[in-house]
Amino acid sequence: MRSTKIGVPTDAADLAATAKAADPTIIVRDRRFSRQQLSARWWVGGDPFATAVFNSLSLSFPRGEAYFIESVRVFRDDVDEPLASEIRAFIAQEVNHSREHLAFNRAVADAGYDTKGLDAVIAAVLGEARNRPPIVSLAATMALEHFTAMFAHLLLVDRSILANADPALADMWRWHAIEEIEHKAVAYDTWLHATKDWPRLRRWKVKALLMLVCTRNFMMLRYQGAIELLRQDGITGWRAHWGVLRYAFGKPGMVRRIASEWIAYFLPGFHPWNRDDRALIENAG
């Protein structure tokens, strides 16, 4: 594993050089998890709200990760090593994540949830996104990859979040989290390469705008997804909204606790590996 002190680079060239020195090796762990029925409808410790949040997240992954792959692959032939190899490993990891979440999502449907409507919404949103220029899709991908990396960090730092979950499913989510941290800079480094001739202000404006748009869409759609799944459990009205908001901002506060890292994305000198959490990969792997 490569190691270096991660500083605050002054321009894109320095940033890319720092990233290449700091990134861990991306390991494709071709794991397969349970293909059985869910052990319980509310598989996160019997908590309907936690279960709804995780189920809503998972429903977005197969189509979302296919979009990420497409967005990065467009620029693959134009990059040099080691980034070209990292893109290939990124794609392989994302393919495996999609496969396992498809299997998990089938188990969610088999537990009695109607997921077709939620999947149709995701398909429509991503269908519209695919009409944008490739560089816009890449900017959206790196913003959403930052989201997955932030949530992945939390899952590995605070094991209490899934402590009472079905053990096999908790293992799946932690496996996914390890690999999201491992490849968290690939889309960003691809963006740096693709925009290397852009003025710094233009690069920041596009990056910032896409993060704001993606934040709005991601949070709104996943929130609505959780509320719909709770409706199917017979939990509606203020109780559903309060339960999801309490989970997101109270305890465990998964949205509240990523706020500082979300803000960091907009600051000068940002790079995903400014937060060096490689130790989480080593300890969890």
Side-chain angles (χ1 to χ4, degrees):
M1 179 177 294
R2 292 163 285 173
S3 177
T4 189
K5 182 179 179 181
I6 300 178
V8 180
T10 57
D11 57 31
D14 288 345
L15 193 55
T18 299
K20 291 307 113 204
D23 287 3
T25 301
I26 299 174
I27 301 170
V28 180
R29 303 164 182 83
D30 187 9
R31 294 190 59 186
R32 285 167 170 77
F33 296 87
S34 175
R35 298 293 191 270
Q36 305 301 316
Q37 291 184 338
L38 297 180
S39 59
R41 184 175 171 92
W42 297 339
W43 59 271
V44 187
D47 183 340
F49 305 107
T51 300
V53 168
F54 276 94
N55 287 352
S56 180
L57 284 171
S58 183
L59 289 170
S60 73
F61 286 155
R63 292 189 186 277
E65 287 168 334
Y67 175 74
F68 297 165
I69 290 169
E70 294 167 15
S71 300
V72 173
R73 181 182 280 152
V74 169
F75 300 91
R76 180 177 59 185
D77 294 339
D78 189 46
V79 303
D80 298 323
E81 296 292 348
L83 182 55
S85 293
E86 291 170 357
I87 289 173
R88 289 192 292 271
F90 165 87
I91 290 172
Q93 285 186 334
E94 295 289 45
V95 166
N96 291 340
H97 299 169
S98 295
R99 182 194 66 214
E100 294 310 301
H101 280 278
L102 276 170
F104 173 75
N105 294 345
R106 284 193 293 269
V108 170
D110 290 343
Y113 291 102
D114 182 356
T115 62
K116 293 179 181 178
L118 296 176
D119 184 62
V121 171
I122 296 164
V125 170
L126 292 176
E128 182 178 347
R130 286 183 171 94
N131 292 325
R132 307 298 183 189
I135 197 67
V136 174
S137 291
L138 180 61
T141 292
M142 71 175 183
L144 291 166
E145 280 289 302
H146 187 54
F147 263 101
T148 57
M150 290 187 291
F151 286 129
H153 180 96
L154 267 184
L155 285 184
L156 296 180
V157 165
D158 185 357
R159 296 183 72 86
S160 71
I161 294 173
L162 289 173
N164 297 319
D166 178 293
L169 298 179
D171 284 347
M172 181 193 73
W173 283 90
R174 291 183 182 123
W175 158 79
H176 191 166
I178 289 168
E179 296 197 345
E180 287 299 330
I181 289 176
E182 211 166 59
H183 71 228
K184 67 179 179 176
V186 173
Y188 200 92
D189 291 340
T190 304
W191 158 264
L192 288 178
H193 179 83
T195 62
K196 61 182 181 295
D197 297 326
W198 286 21
R200 184 180 301 178
L201 182 59
R202 181 188 178 197
R203 184 189 299 118
W204 182 85
K205 283 181 177 179
V206 174
K207 165 185 144 176
L209 176 61
L210 265 295
M211 174 54 94
L212 292 173
V213 171
C214 288
T215 298
R216 180 198 64 190
N217 292 344
F218 177 79
M219 291 296 189
M220 178 182 68
L221 292 174
R222 301 298 27 95
Y223 181 83
Q224 291 174 347
I227 295 298
E228 168 57 20
L229 293 170
L230 287 166
R231 184 194 66 78
Q232 296 182 33
D233 281 326
I235 301 172
T236 60
W238 69 267
R239 184 183 172 209
H241 290 281
W242 172 246
V244 173
L245 291 172
R246 182 182 60 187
Y247 190 82
F249 294 98
K251 186 177 181 179
M254 292 179 68
V255 175
R256 169 179 53 81
R257 292 165 68 185
I258 67 171
S260 62
E261 283 300 307
W262 183 85
I263 292 169
Y265 189 84
F266 298 90
L267 301 179
F270 170 81
H271 186 273
W273 283 113
N274 286 354
R275 175 189 245 184
D276 187 359
D277 48 4
R278 287 171 291 177
L280 294 177
I281 301 171
E282 296 164 0
N283 294 337

